[in-house]
Amino acid sequence: MTKRVLVTGGAGFLGSHLCERLINDGCEVICVDNYFTGRKENIEHLIDNPKFELIRHDITFPLYVEVDQIYNLACPASPVHYRHDPVKTTKTSVIGAINMLGLAKRVNARILQASTSEVYGDPIVHPQSEDYWGNVNPVGVRSCYDEGKRCAETLFFDYQRQHGLNIKVARIFNTYGPRMHPNDGRVVSNFVVQAIQNQNITIFGDGMQTRSFCYVDDLIEGFIRLMNSDPSFAGPVNLGNPCEFTMIDLAKKVIDLTSSSSQLIFLPLPQDDPRQRRPNIDLAKELLKWEPMIDIEDGLKKTIDYFKG
């Protein structure tokens, strides 16, 4: 029987790749987006596919559809966008989660929450494993996103305990690839766009803070495996690439791959910006048989080609 799958935030960076993958796997996909950060051009190539349906909708309002699975990806995910409207960001995470969990309960669907490594805050444990509770500022400029996602996780596990809902929670670490928004303020898209245009590459802080970068196709594979994993495993589970880079290393790699004449300039570090971020993915390896396959150089080349296009 063909699975009917709802993807909220389906016109966004991750959502569009997920919609595409699900259709290729033979599913019928309902894509929901309010275009706060999602873009129609991300899913234009799917519009005429008979297995694809597009609904303009904001998940802070209830939605009534019949589906077998729900991937809840809707939420601004970059500091530029979530600081633009922090109240909206929190409402999308919290009220959106309540509405999607209510839908899952009504139609008895399995539901996956796209959570984030931001639930770990500025971590004092390194690398971060799922049993670490985090070090989060509840009243800072990033709190709308960090605490919104933490509250969404709480709701998911309470719906599981109280209503027996079949839930999955993925904690997504830095992900990059084609269809990233060019102006979303995320480090890979920033560096690539600046390098292609031979502009100065802006590094915040001293550039020695680290991130680990997962190519989008690898992350989507992790989503699919988690959604279809044993019902007894809800997560949370880290999905990301454990290969760690300083910002300076990443900038130099982008300059090299673009043959750019860009120079590095350094600006003050934003408030609550984490110094280190790297996932421990032992749980994903053990229970999902998942780990990233695409190395940073191959992934960056594909991303650079997209932005050049």
Side-chain angles (χ1 to χ4, degrees):
M1 196 176 83
T2 303
K3 277 183 194 154
R4 286 173 55 80
V5 184
L6 171 65
V7 179
T8 73
F13 163 48
L14 295 181
S16 63
H17 285 276
L18 177 60
C19 288
E20 193 172 71
R21 169 66 190 270
L22 289 166
I23 286 169
N24 289 340
D25 287 353
C27 300
E28 291 181 358
V29 174
I30 300 174
C31 166
V32 165
D33 210 296
N34 69 346
Y35 305 115
F36 182 62
T37 57
R39 296 180 294 168
K40 279 186 181 169
E41 65 202 62
N42 287 341
I43 39 91
E44 248 171 358
H45 62 296
L46 301 174
I47 296 286
D48 293 330
N49 192 306
K51 289 185 177 293
F52 183 77
E53 184 179 345
L54 178 60
I55 300 173
R56 184 173 193 140
H57 182 80
D58 184 328
I59 65 161
T60 60
F61 298 93
L63 180 67
Y64 301 95
V65 290
E66 298 293 324
V67 290
D68 305 302
Q69 294 181 343
I70 301 167
Y71 289 84
N72 187 35
L73 274 59
C75 189
S78 76
V80 168
H81 290 136
Y82 56 68
R83 287 183 194 174
H84 172 69
D85 193 343
V87 173
K88 179 71 174 173
T89 299
T90 304
K91 286 169 82 172
T92 302
S93 284
V94 178
I95 299 172
I98 290 168
N99 285 332
M100 290 305 106
L101 287 161
L103 172 61
K105 180 170 171 261
R106 277 195 301 277
V107 300
N108 195 29
R110 182 176 289 197
I111 182 168
L112 182 147
Q113 167 67 1
S115 191
T116 172
S117 59
E118 298 293 341
V119 300
Y120 299 122
D122 188 3
I124 52 177
V125 170
H126 192 75
Q128 295 82 55
S129 57
E130 292 85 355
D131 57 0
Y132 176 50
W133 290 357
N135 175 40
V136 178
N137 177 358
V139 294
V141 293
R142 301 169 70 105
S143 308
C144 59
Y145 185 67
D146 303 3
E147 295 289 33
K149 289 288 192 179
R150 284 164 71 93
C151 185
E153 286 196 16
T154 303
L155 284 161
F156 266 68
F157 283 95
D158 283 339
Y159 263 79
Q160 182 196 46
R161 286 184 283 259
Q162 194 170 334
H163 301 296
L165 208 61
N166 193 339
I167 67 159
K168 306 286 179 180
V169 175
R171 289 179 178 164
I172 305 165
F173 282 68
N174 292 63
T175 305
Y176 70 100
R179 300 187 204 138
M180 291 185 86
H181 200 294
N183 303 315
D184 71 359
R186 288 195 256 199
V187 65
V188 173
S189 49
N190 266 10
F191 286 3
V192 168
V193 170
Q194 288 169 340
I196 288 170
Q197 296 174 351
N198 293 308
Q199 298 174 346
N200 288 333
I201 287 185
T202 49
I203 293 179
F204 294 96
D206 60 8
M208 296 310 293
Q209 68 271 36
T210 64
R211 296 290 185 275
S212 44
F213 299 97
C214 183
Y215 188 67
V216 61
D217 291 357
D218 282 331
L219 184 84
I220 298 304
E221 177 65 29
F223 276 174
I224 302 288
R225 292 193 188 200
L226 176 59
M227 177 63 93
N228 297 311
S229 63
D230 190 292
S232 65
F233 177 63
V237 61
N238 290 337
L239 296 178
N241 194 321
C243 295
E244 195 173 11
F245 292 89
T246 68
M247 296 301 90
I248 289 176
D249 287 341
L250 180 71
K252 287 178 176 174
K253 192 172 277 292
V254 169
I255 288 171
D256 183 47
L257 290 172
T258 53
S259 304
S260 175
S261 60
S262 297
Q263 302 296 308
L264 306 185
I265 60 167
F266 295 85
L267 299 174
L269 195 68
Q271 182 190 342
D272 300 329
D273 197 59
R275 295 288 308 172
Q276 290 181 307
R277 191 56 68 67
R278 173 160 67 94
N280 176 320
I281 60 166
D282 290 350
L283 193 61
K285 283 181 176 177
E286 180 190 348
L287 294 181
L288 306 180
K289 304 293 182 270
W290 176 88
E291 62 183 308
M293 306 300 291
I294 297 166
D295 69 29
I296 187 78
E297 194 148 315
D298 289 341
L300 281 175
K301 284 176 182 171
K302 292 177 182 181
T303 308
I304 289 163
D305 287 344
Y306 168 76
F307 279 112
K308 280 182 174 175

